[in-house]
Structures are given as C-alpha cells and as structure tokens.
Amino acid sequence: MLLLPIVVLLYEGYGYLLKALMSGLFIESVVVTLLGAFIAAALDLLLGAPVAYAISRRLIPRPIDSVVSGVLLSPLTIPHTIVGLSILILVSPISPIPIIRKLPLVDTIWGLVAAYFVVSAPIAVGAMKQVFDELDPTYEYAGLTLGLSQWGVFAHVVVPMTFRELVSSFLMTWGRAISEFGSIVILAYYIVNPPFFNYVYPVPILIWYSYEVYGLPMALGYASASLMISILILVLIEIISERKFTGFKP
C-alpha cells in the first residue's frame, strides 16, 4: 500500500525527471525549500531539545507540564491551513500585538521558516523526548554529584551522549518540514527576498501550481524529482541512525 503509489509515480514521471532536474525554476525551489526547512529544523533542535529534556526528566512542575505537552502536540491535530492563517493574522495590521505586526513573515523566507518551525515542532520534541527517556540517568547523577547543575548536566553530559540521535532527530524534522503544504500555501505561497529569491515557489507549491496551470506532465516531473530528494533524506537518516557514535574527541 505504501510502495505502490511511489513506484507508479516514479514510473510515470521518469520521462519528465531529467527536464525537471535541469529546470532553473525547480532548482531555485529546492534551494529555498531545503534552506527554510534546515533553519526551522535547527531552531526546533536548539529550542526543542531543552524542552524535551525537561519534560522527560519531569523538571516542569505539574500541571504546567501537561499544558506544555499539549501545546507542543497541538500542530499534530490542528489543520495546517489554520497554522498558516493564525501566523498570517499574527503579523497582519489587525494583530493585537503591535511589535509583531512589523515582522516580515508574509511571502518571505522567514515566514517559510516560521511555518516549518511550528508544524515540525511536535516531531522534533517527540523524537528527542523518546531519546532522553531511553537514556540511562546514571551518568547524569554522577554529573550532579560532581557539582554540575541540571542544565550543566544536559549540556555537558546528555548532549554528547545522544549526539547521533539528536542529529537523526534533526534530519527527521528537516524531512518533515520539506513536505509541508497547508500552512505555507497561506503564509509563504512564493518567496520574495531580493537579491537571493525573487518570487520562488517552495517545492510543494511549485508542484501544485504546475498541476493547476500546466497540467499533469509537468507536475509529474517535479513530483518525481522531489520524491527522489525525500528518499535520499530518509536514507541519510537511516545511515546516521545505524552508525555508532563514539563521542567527541579532544
């Protein structure tokens, strides 16, 4: 059931694949999509890892921990068009927060990052929390007895011990962000950040636009090329997950 649609898409889109890969429009689209997703995944990792650790080690008092967990998981249940619409209203002239109205999030790389960040946060935090849940706390106790604070233990003991898993979580979050459509179709339909990006469509939008305007053949080429990129990212995740990380060397 999972494999058949992928095989059929690659089979039907093979004849259009080379043309899509050589298209300047597609290359620009891939660059803006991968860059936006990379920044969002990095922010999810940077801000989400401490939160995931705090939830895992019950450092957040009850019942606040339940509220935090619920907020973090909310993008999984909220339609992503609502996510895009809510961010759009947040930075619009009708926003109740004046300072946020000036943020350049509409049709910019930063709006793309914001949408990717929100929809990918549950994946990032959930993956990292699972990593921390499975970590033996013995080394953390040792760090605490040596005078480190709880967050000192996190930075100097936990992060080095789980580095490989955190990289894998980052790649998983990156891959999830790349596939986003619902929120960016409202907030960042195209990206305008001169001189780097001038009306560049993110990949999912480009596929949808091509299908709507030019029909199935062009969309098949872009979809097949995008699918190959996604598969390469998944393979990279598996390779990193299976490698044994030996730790930092001085």
Coordinates of all heavy atoms in Angstrom, one line a residue, residues 50-74 125 129 133:
P50 N 16.1 21.3 25.0 CA 15.9 21.5 26.4 C 14.5 21.3 26.9 O 14.3 20.8 28.0 CB 16.3 23.0 26.5 CG 17.1 23.3 25.3 CD 16.6 22.5 24.2
V51 N 13.5 21.6 26.1 CA 12.1 21.4 26.5 C 11.8 19.9 26.6 O 11.2 19.4 27.6 CB 11.1 22.0 25.5 CG1 9.7 21.7 25.9 CG2 11.3 23.5 25.5
A52 N 12.3 19.1 25.6 CA 12.1 17.7 25.6 C 12.8 17.0 26.8 O 12.3 16.1 27.4 CB 12.7 17.1 24.3
Y53 N 14.0 17.5 27.1 CA 14.7 17.0 28.3 C 14.0 17.4 29.6 O 13.9 16.5 30.5 CB 16.1 17.6 28.3 CG 17.0 17.1 29.5 CD1 17.5 15.8 29.5 CD2 17.3 18.0 30.5 CE1 18.2 15.4 30.6 CE2 18.0 17.6 31.6 CZ 18.5 16.3 31.6 OH 19.3 15.8 32.7
A54 N 13.5 18.6 29.7 CA 12.7 19.0 30.9 C 11.5 18.2 31.1 O 11.2 17.8 32.2 CB 12.4 20.5 30.8
I55 N 10.8 17.8 30.0 CA 9.6 17.0 30.1 C 10.0 15.6 30.5 O 9.3 15.0 31.3 CB 8.8 17.0 28.8 CG1 8.3 18.4 28.5 CG2 7.7 16.0 28.8 CD1 7.6 18.5 27.1
S56 N 11.0 15.1 29.9 CA 11.5 13.7 30.1 C 11.9 13.5 31.6 O 11.6 12.5 32.2 CB 12.6 13.3 29.2 OG 13.2 12.1 29.5
R57 N 12.6 14.5 32.1 CA 13.1 14.4 33.5 C 12.2 15.0 34.5 O 12.6 15.2 35.7 CB 14.5 15.0 33.6 CG 15.6 14.3 32.8 CD 15.7 12.9 33.2 NE 16.8 12.2 32.5 CZ 16.6 11.3 31.5 NH1 15.4 11.1 31.1 NH2 17.6 10.7 30.9
R58 N 11.0 15.4 34.1 CA 9.9 16.0 35.0 C 10.5 17.2 35.7 O 10.2 17.4 36.9 CB 9.4 14.9 36.0 CG 8.9 13.7 35.3 CD 8.2 12.7 36.3 NE 7.7 11.5 35.6 CZ 6.6 11.4 35.0 NH1 5.8 12.5 34.9 NH2 6.2 10.3 34.4
L59 N 11.2 18.1 35.0 CA 11.7 19.3 35.6 C 10.6 20.4 35.5 O 10.8 21.5 36.1 CB 12.9 19.8 34.8 CG 14.1 18.8 34.8 CD1 15.3 19.3 34.0 CD2 14.5 18.4 36.2
I60 N 9.5 20.2 34.8 CA 8.4 21.2 34.7 C 7.4 20.7 35.7 O 6.9 19.6 35.6 CB 7.9 21.2 33.3 CG1 9.0 21.6 32.3 CG2 6.7 22.2 33.2 CD1 8.5 21.6 30.8
P61 N 7.0 21.6 36.6 CA 6.0 21.2 37.7 C 4.7 20.9 37.1 O 4.3 21.5 36.1 CB 6.0 22.4 38.6 CG 6.5 23.5 37.8 CD 7.4 23.0 36.8
R62 N 3.9 20.0 37.7 CA 2.6 19.7 37.4 C 1.7 20.9 37.8 O 1.9 21.4 38.9 CB 2.1 18.4 38.0 CG 2.9 17.2 37.4 CD 2.4 15.9 38.1 NE 3.1 14.8 37.6 CZ 2.7 14.1 36.5 NH1 1.7 14.5 35.8 NH2 3.4 13.0 36.1
P63 N 0.6 21.2 37.2 CA 0.1 20.6 35.9 C 0.6 21.4 34.7 O 0.1 21.2 33.6 CB -1.4 20.8 36.0 CG -1.6 22.1 36.8 CD -0.4 22.2 37.7
I64 N 1.7 22.2 34.9 CA 2.2 23.0 33.8 C 2.8 22.1 32.7 O 2.7 22.4 31.5 CB 3.2 24.0 34.3 CG1 2.6 25.0 35.3 CG2 3.8 24.8 33.1 CD1 3.6 25.9 35.9
D65 N 3.3 21.0 33.1 CA 3.9 20.0 32.1 C 2.9 19.5 31.2 O 3.2 19.3 30.0 CB 4.6 18.9 32.9 CG 3.7 18.1 33.7 OD1 2.6 18.6 34.1 OD2 4.0 16.9 34.0
S66 N 1.7 19.3 31.6 CA 0.6 18.8 30.7 C 0.2 19.9 29.8 O -0.1 19.6 28.6 CB -0.6 18.4 31.6 OG -0.3 17.3 32.4
V67 N 0.2 21.1 30.2 CA -0.1 22.2 29.3 C 0.9 22.4 28.2 O 0.6 22.5 27.1 CB -0.3 23.6 30.1 CG1 -0.5 24.7 29.2 CG2 -1.4 23.5 31.1
V68 N 2.2 22.3 28.7 CA 3.3 22.4 27.7 C 3.3 21.3 26.7 O 3.4 21.5 25.5 CB 4.7 22.4 28.5 CG1 5.8 22.3 27.5 CG2 4.8 23.6 29.3
S69 N 3.0 20.1 27.2 CA 3.0 18.9 26.2 C 1.8 19.1 25.3 O 1.9 18.8 24.1 CB 2.8 17.6 27.0 OG 3.9 17.4 27.8
G70 N 0.7 19.6 25.8 CA -0.5 19.8 24.9 C -0.2 20.8 23.8 O -0.6 20.7 22.7
V71 N 0.4 21.9 24.2 CA 0.7 23.0 23.2 C 1.7 22.5 22.2 O 1.5 22.8 21.0 CB 1.3 24.2 24.0 CG1 1.8 25.2 23.0 CG2 0.2 24.9 24.8
L72 N 2.7 21.7 22.6 CA 3.7 21.2 21.7 C 3.1 20.2 20.7 O 3.5 20.1 19.5 CB 4.8 20.5 22.5 CG 5.7 21.5 23.2 CD1 6.7 20.7 24.1 CD2 6.5 22.4 22.3
L73 N 2.1 19.5 21.1 CA 1.5 18.5 20.3 C 0.3 19.0 19.4 O -0.1 18.4 18.5 CB 0.9 17.3 21.1 CG 2.0 16.4 21.8 CD1 1.3 15.4 22.7 CD2 2.9 15.7 20.8
S74 N -0.1 20.2 19.7 CA -1.3 20.8 19.0 C -1.2 20.9 17.5 O -2.2 20.6 16.8 CB -1.6 22.2 19.6 OG -0.6 23.1 19.4
V125 N 10.3 17.5 19.1 CA 10.3 17.3 20.5 C 9.9 15.9 20.9 O 10.5 15.3 21.8 CB 9.3 18.3 21.2 CG1 9.1 18.1 22.6 CG2 9.7 19.8 20.9
K129 N 12.4 13.6 23.0 CA 11.9 13.1 24.3 C 12.1 11.6 24.4 O 12.5 11.1 25.5 CB 10.5 13.5 24.5 CG 9.9 13.0 25.9 CD 8.4 13.4 26.0 CE 7.9 12.9 27.3 NZ 7.9 11.4 27.5
D133 N 14.2 9.7 27.2 CA 13.5 8.7 28.0 C 14.3 7.4 28.1 O 14.3 6.7 29.1 CB 12.1 8.4 27.5 CG 11.1 9.5 27.8 OD1 11.4 10.4 28.6 OD2 10.0 9.6 27.1

